[in-house]
Amino acid sequence: PLAPAPVVPPKPLLPVQSLSPPTAPTSLAPTTAPKSEAGAKDAKSKPGLLPVKFDVEALDATDRDSIGTLDDVEGGFGLEMWAGTRRSLVEKLLPGVPAQSSSRIMRGLLRRLLLSIAKAPLANVPGQAASNDVASNENAEVQTPPTNIPVPGPKKGLIHLRIERLAAMGDIGAVDALLKVAPDRENDQILLRSEADVLFYGNDYARVCPLVASQIRQVATVYWRKAFIFCQALAGEHERASLGVTLLEEQGEDDPVFFNLIDALAGLEKPKIESMGNPRPLHFAMARAAKAKLPGDVISSNHPAVLKTVARTPGLHPELRIDAAERAEAMGALETRILRDLYTSVTFSQEVLENPLTTAESERSPLSRALLYRKALVESIPTAKAGIVSQALILARDGGRFQSTARVYLDVLREFKPSRDLVWFAADVVRALLATGDLETAAKWLDVVRTSAMFDEKSAKLRDELFPLARLAGAVSDDDWAPGGLGAWQNSQRRSENGAVVNEDQVLVRSALLFNLLEALGDEVPDQQWEGLLSGPPQRTTVVPRPVFWRNLRNAAVQQRIGETVLLALTALGQAGPTQADPTLLRTVIESLRSVGLGDEARALAIEAAVAAGI
């Protein structure tokens, strides 16, 4: 727990001395250990006593809306991340902030926002008018609140909203970690249910059943009654469990999955689940205990925790597990190595292994993607291996899975030695490496492309095609960058590999995105390049957030309110994330994040959007 250690009144052993003001803490953890060499020596000279650091801010941090697991050294946004932000705004936006976006960067930002150790926002901020309107902080001034006295919030506090969002992200480990540092959670039904769900997902019966037993004596809700019946069945108390089931049925409870699995645990019938489209953590724990086979619709909910659980459940059909793993990995809920392991665990016939490209092109299924990966691992001829990886990346781009596929193949990509013989492969490999953040390896391929471009026309086209993306990623220095090359890039976009003319509207859309991204990251695009876009339609249908989000996002960034900036940016991007965002909105988000010190994250969002658009 983060509550400070009890302070023992000092004994009057020494003359009274003046004390200097305490240093501001860097975290909300207790500060009782000696911080200096002198302090350590002093502690040794007085057995049984430790010097105590009196820190009012740390003592006030017992407000559980302020607790967290990340300080600013570990990736948190700092103690003052909500300074100048009204509590009502956070309470309004936090429940709706996207939790299941396929953007790894958005997920990382949200996770840090939810886990940061930070003083909770105040209900009334000096210099701001009290209002529940998200746009009401016009002309607000950033002022440090005179005190850190937490203002009582609604019945559902920020700690509850944070845990709900982490659970919606499928980040069960983060939920568990935050619960462990939450004070007084044993008296909070919302937190206790969250704790039970975490334990059910982890099949930790040894911890969850005592928790359930402690609650059933106090709160006999349907949730705890079902959990208690399950624990009774686990303990072999089937008669008592049957009585509990009867009472639930008499009261009209409709949960065929629960009732079927209880009967299976009692040995009354074989477990058979017809449908499980909206599974609960309890259902997963019961199914595992009963050794029940999960139905195919279990992953229809698209919940990251559900997908992760299915991916890691042995005995299911390989295609179901791989499908769940691909989607969970794309959302950041599953480690990439687990998806790789699932790909390699599938058994294929020799005939299928001999024709992987044909199979992958015709089927485009989870199993066909596993086939391509398997073949790429065992292929020993570099050009043949490059052909397989290239096909996998092309199919991934068409299916909206490029970044996930790039992460899966990252180790394979690093095995290739950049050479002129493989320069035709450079476009795919450079995009994949930049998408995964491996600038060092991508730079080696770019050097080969630049060298080959002096002698080969196709290599020159590749150079023109790749340089703007490499510039966005930070792989091209100021000395090597010339904005005039954007014209050459546009020309490369107008011709496909087979020489056919590309739709001009597509070129204009990509150009508008690229120019906005470049300028958002600090590069100036010449006016004549912008003027070239006027040849397209004057209007374009798109989905953008309401004007209030644009305005408040800019204001929050200007006034360096980092928590509010991140919260508004994520909400404005929406569930679709940067790959579907309007270029002007994306520019505003990137500029706002950069202005509050999140330049790396802003650049990564730009790369996500650019790669998805085919830049």
Side-chain angles (χ1 to χ4, degrees), residues 59-82:
L59 293 175
D60 286 342
T62 53
D63 170 25
R64 59 184 182 171
D65 286 338
S66 299
I67 59 95
T69 61
L70 297 179
D71 60 21
D72 51 0
V73 176
E74 297 170 323
F77 292 136
L79 285 175
E80 302 294 338
M81 78 173 192
W82 295 122

Side-chain angles (χ1 to χ4, degrees), residues 146-473:
T147 69
N148 189 39
I149 300 174
V151 177
K155 185 176 182 181
K156 182 176 285 190
L158 294 183
I159 183 65
H160 303 119
L161 299 179
R162 291 160 65 191
I163 285 176
E164 285 177 0
R165 286 293 84 194
L166 286 167
M169 292 170 65
D171 198 336
I172 304 304
V175 173
D176 189 32
L178 192 55
L179 284 169
K180 286 178 179 177
V181 298
D184 198 32
R185 74 177 187 275
E186 63 274 9
N187 297 315
D188 189 310
Q189 277 297 302
I190 298 176
L191 298 186
L192 287 169
R193 276 195 57 165
S194 297
E195 183 176 359
D197 283 344
V198 166
L199 297 174
F200 280 133
Y201 271 126
N203 303 299
D204 193 343
Y205 310 134
R207 289 173 59 197
V208 75
C209 286
L211 171 61
V212 170
S214 70
Q215 293 307 302
I216 198 67
R217 302 186 188 99
Q218 305 176 43
V219 187
T221 62
V222 171
Y223 175 89
W224 293 115
R225 289 165 64 191
K226 285 183 179 179
F228 189 61
I229 291 170
F230 171 50
C231 288
Q232 287 176 321
L234 283 178
E237 300 175 357
H238 297 299
E239 291 185 4
R240 294 182 178 181
S242 178
L243 177 60
V245 167
T246 301
L247 292 174
L248 284 176
E249 290 176 330
E250 290 177 352
Q251 293 170 4
E253 179 62 19
D254 182 22
D255 191 344
V257 174
F258 173 81
F259 294 132
N260 178 274
L261 290 174
I262 284 294
D263 287 343
L265 287 169
L268 300 179
E269 60 179 66
K270 292 183 178 180
K272 185 178 180 181
I273 306 174
E274 299 290 345
S275 177
M276 201 170 172
N278 188 28
R280 303 288 192 270
L282 174 61
H283 291 157
F284 279 115
M286 296 178 70
R288 188 176 183 89
K291 297 181 174 57
K293 183 179 179 181
L294 300 179
D297 69 347
V298 69
I299 58 176
S300 61
S301 70
N302 206 42
H303 192 289
V306 171
L307 297 174
K308 180 177 181 178
T309 302
V310 172
R312 303 186 69 162
T313 300
L316 300 181
H317 191 281
E319 187 164 17
L320 180 64
R321 293 184 68 188
I322 292 174
D323 187 9
E326 287 179 336
R327 291 155 60 188
E329 196 282 339
M331 287 188 279
L334 186 75
E335 301 94 325
T336 305
R337 63 173 178 81
I338 294 178
L339 177 55
R340 292 194 193 108
D341 291 344
L342 285 174
Y343 278 163
T344 57
S345 67
V346 182
T347 302
F348 296 100
S349 67
Q350 188 60 36
E351 180 182 359
V352 171
L353 285 171
E354 290 174 355
N355 300 283
L357 298 181
T358 303
T359 302
E361 175 64 33
S362 60
E363 294 186 7
R364 301 198 180 197
S365 66
L367 290 180
S368 69
R369 292 188 283 276
L371 172 62
L372 275 183
Y373 182 70
R374 271 282 297 279
K375 186 62 176 178
L377 288 181
V378 301
E379 181 58 64
S380 58
I381 302 173
T383 53
K385 184 189 287 278
I388 295 169
V389 176
S390 177
Q391 178 76 349
L393 292 172
I394 290 172
L395 293 175
R397 188 167 57 226
D398 293 343
R401 297 181 306 276
F402 186 87
Q403 288 201 295
S404 178
T405 303
R407 289 189 292 269
V408 168
Y409 281 86
L410 182 57
D411 292 340
V412 177
L413 292 170
R414 287 171 173 166
E415 293 177 3
F416 290 101
K417 182 178 180 180
S419 65
R420 290 187 61 185
D421 292 337
L422 291 176
V423 72
W424 58 270
F425 183 44
D428 295 318
V429 70
V430 168
R431 283 193 177 94
L433 290 169
L434 293 178
T436 59
D438 189 348
L439 272 62
E440 182 178 353
T441 308
K444 296 176 182 177
W445 282 92
L446 288 169
D447 288 341
V448 171
V449 171
R450 280 190 287 187
T451 302
S452 300
M454 294 187 289
F455 313 102
D456 179 64
E457 183 179 346
K458 289 185 177 179
S459 297
K461 179 180 178 294
L462 276 177
R463 176 201 60 202
D464 296 338
E465 179 183 339
L466 291 173
F467 252 51
L469 180 63
R471 177 63 175 177
L472 284 177

